[in-house]
Amino acid sequence: MQQVQTVPALHDALRPWRTRGESIVFVPTMGNLHDGHLALVKRARKLGAMVVVSLFVNPLQFGEGDDFAGYPRTLQQDYALLEGLAEVVFTPAVTDIYGRSIDISTRVEVPGISDILCGAYRPGHFVGVTTVVAKLFNIVKPDIAVFGEKDFQQLFILRAMVADLAFPIVLEGVATVREPDGLAMSSRNQYLNARERRLAPKLYQTLLEVKERYLQRSATRIELEQQAEFKLKQYGFVPDYVSIRNARDLTTDLTVDSPCVILAAAHLGKARLIDNIPVAL
Ligand code: PAF
């Protein structure tokens, strides 16, 4: 496994595979790897000849008051976890990605869908994500890129970006990996204290209940969302939203046969947790 920090070093590392015409599969991450990330890397392994993983805590996707400075950075541990799973690990510095000044660096934005749901509560977040992923795609030039479905909206926006900008890259989504009690794996779970950690699976349980009641048509969409938010508050969460959306366009236009997804974001102590579940009709 090669560890490279700069763009020229990455290009050197990828050249032999590119010359042989072998497929390159890319897994962008912000490091602090857990089993959810490893599921992405293992899927990547099955999809192509060589796997590149980036570890880059992207300042542009953190807003004011977000946890950029305190975001867990565990480089040596990440290298150890990737040994034998990835051929190349790319750990650029902020200047390798944004040049001299992040403030005047070109942005990539998918309007509309970047401003709803999590985008409404984290202004600028998805512009940070699409900008860094577009840059990483141009640097790595993968054939396939793998993302987690836990970040449903992120993957949805990235699919739109890839289509709009004609990136010749196939995006592969991987199902959310959960702890035995149902909590979706996330680097941010480590911000939870012991009491909050015991409560955290209630987010997933609440989504499952919304799904069951939605399928029974026992209340309107808005009622179900409001009742779920109320329940989360009672448990001790501070919910940003619980929302039932059309999985094809993320709108609230739901016909009887539209595939949907139930998404939620809620604060618990210092952690902002997100989760979603698909609803098969
Ligand atoms: O999902 C993440 O870890 C990040 O948003 C990503 C896609 C690596 C971009 O920084």
Side-chain angles (χ1 to χ4, degrees), residues 26 28 107-111 113-114 126-138 142 145 147 153-169 171:
F26 179 40
R107 307 280 203 268
V108 175
E109 179 176 8
V110 182
I113 50 174
S114 296
F126 286 119
V127 175
V129 171
T130 40
T131 299
V132 79
V133 172
K135 282 178 180 243
L136 289 168
F137 280 180
N138 281 329
F147 295 88
Q153 187 179 5
Q154 167 173 283
L155 181 53
F156 191 91
I157 292 167
L158 290 172
R159 286 193 194 286
M161 178 189 83
V162 161
D164 292 349
L165 298 183
F167 277 106
I169 300 172
L171 297 195

Side-chain angles (χ1 to χ4, degrees), residues 39-232:
L40 307 184
V41 182
K42 285 174 190 160
R43 174 71 68 83
R45 267 264 59 89
K46 293 201 174 119
L47 292 173
M50 74 94 61
V51 175
V52 185
V53 178
S54 63
L55 310 174
F56 178 64
V57 185
N58 171 33
L60 198 60
Q61 69 188 76
F62 289 79
E64 280 197 19
D66 279 352
D67 52 347
F68 174 68
Y71 195 85
R73 291 158 171 88
T74 50
L75 198 56
Q76 294 312 319
Q77 187 184 306
D78 294 347
Y79 284 148
L81 288 169
L82 290 171
E83 199 59 63
L85 288 177
E87 276 68 33
V88 175
V89 184
F90 179 43
T91 56
V94 172
T95 46
D96 292 310
I97 299 295
Y98 291 109
R100 264 183 318 112
S101 170
I102 193 167
D103 298 328
I104 55 167
S105 179
T106 301
R107 307 280 203 268
V108 175
E109 179 176 8
V110 182
I113 50 174
S114 296
D115 303 321
I116 59 171
L117 300 167
C118 282
Y121 293 89
R122 303 185 69 192
H125 167 68
F126 286 119
V127 175
V129 171
T130 40
T131 299
V132 79
V133 172
K135 282 178 180 243
L136 289 168
F137 280 180
N138 281 329
I139 292 167
V140 177
K141 296 189 178 62
D143 300 283
I144 303 171
V146 184
F147 295 88
E149 288 172 354
K150 180 176 83 80
D151 298 285
F152 187 94
Q153 187 179 5
Q154 167 173 283
L155 181 53
F156 191 91
I157 292 167
L158 290 172
R159 286 193 194 286
M161 178 189 83
V162 161
D164 292 349
L165 298 183
F167 277 106
I169 300 172
V170 173
L171 297 195
E172 176 81 3
V174 174
T176 304
V177 179
R178 298 183 181 280
E179 301 287 356
D181 60 11
L183 176 65
M185 286 196 185
S186 164
S187 300
R188 293 189 165 101
N189 292 350
Q190 58 199 272
Y191 299 154
L192 301 167
N193 65 28
R195 191 188 59 83
E196 291 157 356
R197 176 62 190 81
R198 283 193 297 275
L199 277 174
K202 296 280 185 206
L203 184 62
Y204 178 54
Q205 285 162 22
T206 303
L207 291 183
L208 291 174
E209 283 163 26
V210 174
K211 174 177 170 175
E212 201 181 307
R213 297 193 58 214
Y214 181 72
L215 289 173
Q216 290 163 352
R217 309 273 170 214
S218 62
T220 66
R221 174 183 66 79
I222 292 176
E223 282 165 354
L224 290 173
E225 292 170 354
Q226 286 174 347
Q227 287 162 10
E229 286 179 23
F230 180 74
K231 228 170 178 185
L232 287 173

